[in-house]
Amino acid sequence: MKILLAAINAKYIHSNLAVYSLKANAGKYKDCVELIEFSINHRSEDILKGIYKKKPDLLCFSCYIWNISIVEIIAREIRKVLPKVKIWLGGPEVSYNIDTGLLRKSFIDGIMIGEGEETFQDLITYYIEKAGESFFPIAGIAFKNSKEEIVMTLPRPIMDMAKIVFPYKDLSDFTNRILYYETSRGCPYQCSYCLSSIEKTVRFRPLSIVKQELQFFLDKKVAQVKFVDRTFNCNREHSRFIWNYLLEHDNGITNFHFEITADLLEEEDFQIFRTMRPGLIQLEIGVQSTNEKTMKAIHRNTNFEKLSYAVKRVKENKNIHQHLDLIAGLPWEDLTSFQTSFNDVYAIKPQQLQLGFLKVLKGASMEEDSKKYHIIYQEQPPYEVLRTDWLSYDDLLLLKGIEEMVEVYYNSGQFVYTILFLEHYFQDAFSMYKNLAKYYEQKGYFDKNHTKLQRFDILKEFFEEWIGKENSKCFCELLTYDVYLRENSKTRPEFAPDQSDDKEQFRLFYQKEDKERKYLKNYVEFSRRQLVTMTHIEHFSINVIKTAQIGNPVWESQNLLFDYRERDPLSYQAKVIKIEIVS
């Protein structure tokens, strides 16, 4: 019997932990199980063709909000070309709406509900050994009986995390892709928008097993491992053991991503973080809102003062990337309230600020709460908020524009000092991004694709049209600094100051540096010509850092050398050296 587990991921770089875990835990029949992965960017015709060529007898899809529409299309069409194939679905998008979901479609045979490892093993055993008998001995499934009525078997007891077989052996399929890993299931919190709140019992994988699996990733020099534990540090003993293990066994390459609750961090955690290699770990921290009434409505108990303190403590050592999340569209949060939440989080200056939008997921308590709070949302995935009693659709469209501006001009890390300078001309950060979004809207820029340098040009236009040309020369130098801080650009921006008078001085500098290696000590194996192409010198008439910090030009003639071999591991910024050039 041919059994195929199919995953349609959000991006190529992603992998699907679920299908790998199902195969690894399929028991004596795991060799009968094949995997196939696509992304939502594949054409549906190519996904259909790929699955058809496998000629499965049993086809199982892993279902999420980002792929369920494609799954429905593929399942319907695959039934036409493989009429005898049994098609089963599993995953969070189909586990909580059994009566009204895809099982009502004629081309779907059944649903695996909740945790799938033991259910999948029982299901394939049934099809191989007991086909024709009753499904009822299998817990945790839904199917249609002979009368086409939907039937659900008894719920499956939660799994013992120690019994789950590690899903990874051969990593040849994971080159340039993120590996996902879990050491716990469930969540102790009851956030109304999250499916994890349904299962309030948290289970942990034994640390003796976790240690072996972490070492596997380290030995294989995996680029990134992303933990899918919903609140990784809810058990301090568990999280500290893992963080200490990674600190002690760091291979200098692998990055580990954790989703944490920052207000749970204590001094012991800060001390562990303090000595970590820059880039060893990164932290994702859900803030969602700083409106107390909103937080109470979504059953979330976060102390923002403690969270803010924790983020700042972690940030002090400049070795850990922090990503903070906000959600627009929550109860009691109007535009003014969200502006406050945004500014509160922005003031902490994390490496990234993710502005997301409420999604009313099937099975989450927000689905019921949405009636109480009059939250209107899309009927089809991703079930995103359209309006609330506090936010109109116009408000949400404005926030969508702000989200894009934050992604482009803040989260990209390409405009650090320009944006810092620009902030001084607005009431607050939210107002700055709001006006920038309005500018994009007026100019029709949202409808066009832009290169990196074009984004800089637009920012210059915005500054001159909305602020004025008084400090335009200064602003152009800040833009130039930001360009060369990240990119050894051989295409000189049009806004960059004319440096033709400095070329001879720069040539003499490299000639001298080729002999002395005063500034570029780690370039000993490279020739003078290579030094020129691998680094960049720029003359500035301002002190860029001080100018950006105070919002006014600090005039100071400087020659800065950008060393692209020595980059900050978190920001990817080049090392910048103030150099002396003797004529």
Side-chain angles (χ1 to χ4, degrees):
M1 184 177 194
K2 292 185 178 180
I3 302 163
L4 185 64
L5 287 166
I8 304 173
N9 303 321
K11 296 179 181 179
Y12 167 77
I13 196 172
H14 296 173
S15 59
N16 187 296
L17 175 59
V19 295
Y20 287 93
S21 189
L22 291 185
K23 176 175 170 60
N25 289 273
K28 62 183 179 180
Y29 294 120
K30 69 179 180 181
D31 291 337
C32 299
V33 180
E34 274 193 80
L35 303 180
I36 191 166
E37 287 188 272
F38 304 94
S39 82
I40 58 174
N41 296 315
H42 279 93
R43 296 188 312 157
S44 57
E45 292 89 344
D46 293 332
I47 299 174
L48 178 66
K49 179 175 68 174
I51 292 174
Y52 174 79
K53 285 187 172 182
K54 296 290 184 181
K55 298 291 197 304
D57 300 298
L58 173 62
L59 172 62
C60 302
F61 287 98
S62 179
C63 302
Y64 302 87
I65 57 172
W66 62 77
N67 71 9
I68 191 64
S69 299
I70 300 174
V71 167
E72 180 176 356
I73 292 169
I74 300 303
R76 179 186 288 111
E77 303 307 324
I78 202 72
R79 174 71 79 196
K80 295 175 183 177
V81 292
L82 293 174
K84 294 183 179 180
V85 67
K86 301 297 182 183
I87 302 176
W88 282 71
L89 311 178
E93 183 52 27
V94 294
S95 288
Y96 302 101
N97 58 337
I98 304 299
D99 292 335
T100 59
L102 282 183
L103 189 52
R104 290 200 169 277
K105 305 290 184 180
S106 60
F107 50 85
I108 301 298
D109 291 289
I111 305 286
M112 290 180 280
I113 303 168
E115 288 181 297
E117 286 90 351
E118 292 177 342
T119 305
F120 179 65
Q121 185 177 153
D122 287 350
L123 188 67
I124 60 177
T125 300
Y126 166 85
Y127 275 113
I128 292 173
E129 298 180 4
K130 304 174 183 179
E133 298 181 17
S134 172
F135 274 122
F136 275 100
I138 304 176
I141 63 170
F143 59 93
K144 291 181 286 248
N145 63 18
S146 57
K147 298 179 181 179
E148 293 298 302
E149 298 168 330
I150 293 176
V151 178
M152 295 176 62
T153 63
L154 292 172
R156 183 173 290 276
I158 58 175
M159 291 186 65
D160 179 350
M161 291 288 287
K163 294 181 179 178
I164 299 174
V165 179
F166 185 59
Y168 302 114
K169 286 187 178 179
D170 178 13
L171 297 184
S172 58
D173 291 335
F174 294 95
T175 304
N176 300 321
R177 299 175 73 195
I178 299 170
L179 277 172
Y180 293 86
Y181 176 61
E182 63 180 350
T183 66
S184 66
R185 287 182 180 175
C187 182
Y189 302 108
Q190 300 177 37
C191 306
S192 61
Y193 54 83
C194 182
L195 287 175
S196 297
S197 63
I198 295 173
E199 185 187 325
K200 298 175 179 61
T201 302
V202 186
R203 295 157 286 146
F204 296 92
R205 194 155 173 81
L207 289 171
S208 57
I209 299 176
V210 170
K211 181 171 65 173
Q212 297 172 23
E213 294 167 350
L214 292 176
Q215 195 57 52
F216 172 85
F217 295 132
L218 293 164
D219 291 343
K220 297 292 185 181
K221 294 182 170 56
V222 173
Q224 185 177 54
V225 177
K226 189 167 185 176
F227 280 64
V228 297
D229 305 49
R230 298 312 304 160
T231 305
F232 177 74
N233 64 326
C234 64
N235 181 308
R236 292 181 176 90
E237 180 184 354
H238 182 86
S239 59
R240 286 171 185 164
F241 175 90
I242 291 173
W243 285 333
N244 272 313
Y245 189 88
L246 297 179
L247 175 62
E248 294 165 8
H249 298 82
D250 181 17
N251 63 10
I253 296 172
T254 307
N255 166 264
F256 295 87
H257 177 108
F258 303 93
E259 187 174 331
I260 70 162
T261 297
D263 55 333
L264 293 180
L265 294 174
E266 296 178 334
E267 188 61 34
E268 186 174 343
D269 301 300
F270 300 134
Q271 293 306 316
I272 296 170
F273 294 157
R274 185 175 60 84
T275 55
M276 283 182 166
R277 165 181 60 87
L280 172 59
I281 72 168
Q282 61 189 52
L283 303 176
E284 182 174 349
I285 299 163
V287 181
Q288 321 316 4
S289 171
T290 62
N291 182 324
E292 291 185 6
K293 196 169 184 179
T294 296
M295 298 296 273
K296 184 177 180 180
I298 62 175
H299 316 301
R300 187 172 176 86
N301 183 24
T302 300
N303 184 321
F304 182 71
E305 185 177 345
K306 288 183 68 176
L307 182 150
S308 179
Y309 170 78
V311 172
K312 290 174 183 176
R313 280 293 305 273
V314 173
K315 189 179 178 181
E316 285 175 1
N317 298 305
K318 301 179 180 179
N319 63 342
I320 294 174
H321 175 104
Q322 296 183 94
H323 172 134
L324 271 59
D325 297 323
L326 285 171
I327 297 178
L330 295 172
W332 302 107
E333 186 113 85
D334 60 14
L335 205 56
T336 300
S337 168
F338 189 82
Q339 180 169 351
T340 300
S341 293
F342 181 95
N343 288 328
D344 286 343
V345 175
Y346 192 88
I348 309 173
K349 292 295 175 75
Q351 277 76 21
Q352 288 199 322
L353 196 172
Q354 180 69 49
L355 199 172
F357 293 81
L358 176 66
K359 294 172 178 58
V360 183
L361 304 177
K362 304 297 182 185
S365 61
M366 182 57 75
E367 185 179 18
E368 187 62 32
D369 287 351
S370 66
K371 301 170 187 174
K372 176 172 65 174
Y373 293 119
H374 308 129
I375 295 173
I376 308 302
Y377 58 95
Q378 298 168 346
E379 290 189 19
Q380 299 299 317
Y383 314 115
E384 192 168 278
V385 61
L386 293 172
R387 62 179 173 86
T388 72
D389 282 349
W390 303 275
L391 288 174
S392 67
Y393 188 52
D394 282 326
D395 293 333
L396 285 163
L397 289 177
L398 173 62
L399 292 176
K400 286 280 185 180
I402 293 172
E403 175 199 24
E404 185 168 338
M405 293 299 91
V406 171
E407 281 296 310
V408 170
Y409 290 107
Y410 184 82
N411 290 343
S412 69
Q414 295 170 348
F415 305 84
V416 175
Y417 293 98
T418 316
I419 288 295
L420 183 60
F421 180 81
L422 192 58
E423 288 171 17
H424 293 281
Y425 291 87
F426 293 89
Q427 172 189 340
D428 53 34
F430 184 88
S431 299
M432 179 183 69
Y433 290 107
K434 180 175 72 173
N435 284 298
L436 191 51
K438 287 181 177 179
Y439 185 73
Y440 261 67
E441 184 72 31
Q442 291 171 6
K443 295 289 186 177
Y445 289 152
F446 280 129
D447 302 321
K448 300 175 182 177
N449 292 322
H450 303 283
T451 65
K452 289 179 183 178
L453 282 180
Q454 285 172 336
R455 297 287 193 186
F456 282 90
D457 290 331
I458 292 170
L459 203 56
K460 175 179 177 291
E461 290 175 20
F462 173 72
F463 182 83
E464 292 179 347
E465 290 187 29
W466 282 61
I467 310 301
K469 296 186 178 181
E470 181 182 350
N471 285 326
S472 182
K473 178 178 183 295
C474 167
F475 195 72
C476 286
E477 291 203 33
L478 287 162
L479 288 168
T480 303
Y481 184 81
D482 273 332
V483 166
Y484 287 109
L485 194 57
R486 288 283 294 269
E487 305 287 338
N488 187 6
S489 178
K490 299 309 177 188
T491 302
R492 188 162 181 80
E494 290 185 10
F495 52 76
D498 180 17
Q499 307 244 298
S500 55
D501 292 343
D502 300 303
K503 285 184 177 180
E504 179 60 19
Q505 284 186 311
F506 294 166
R507 187 189 68 78
L508 292 173
F509 168 83
Y510 281 114
Q511 188 177 45
K512 186 177 181 182
E513 187 64 17
D514 187 33
K515 298 174 183 177
E516 296 181 358
R517 302 299 163 120
K518 178 181 177 181
Y519 299 101
L520 299 171
K521 293 181 173 61
N522 63 336
Y523 285 76
V524 290
E525 70 271 35
F526 297 104
S527 67
R528 180 176 62 84
R529 182 169 293 182
Q530 288 173 312
L531 294 184
V532 173
T533 59
M534 296 173 70
T535 64
H536 177 76
I537 301 176
E538 187 76 23
H539 175 77
F540 293 91
S541 59
I542 59 171
N543 183 313
V544 174
I545 309 300
K546 290 181 181 179
T547 295
Q549 289 173 341
I550 69 171
N552 283 307
V554 177
W555 301 107
E556 179 184 339
S557 181
Q558 298 184 98
N559 290 303
L560 300 181
L561 174 66
F562 295 83
D563 180 355
Y564 297 104
R565 294 192 78 199
E566 294 285 331
R567 290 184 180 269
D568 184 295
L570 295 190
S571 66
Y572 202 60
Q573 293 176 353
K575 181 180 179 181
V576 181
I577 309 165
K578 186 177 180 179
I579 60 174
E580 295 179 6
I581 296 181
V582 181
S583 300

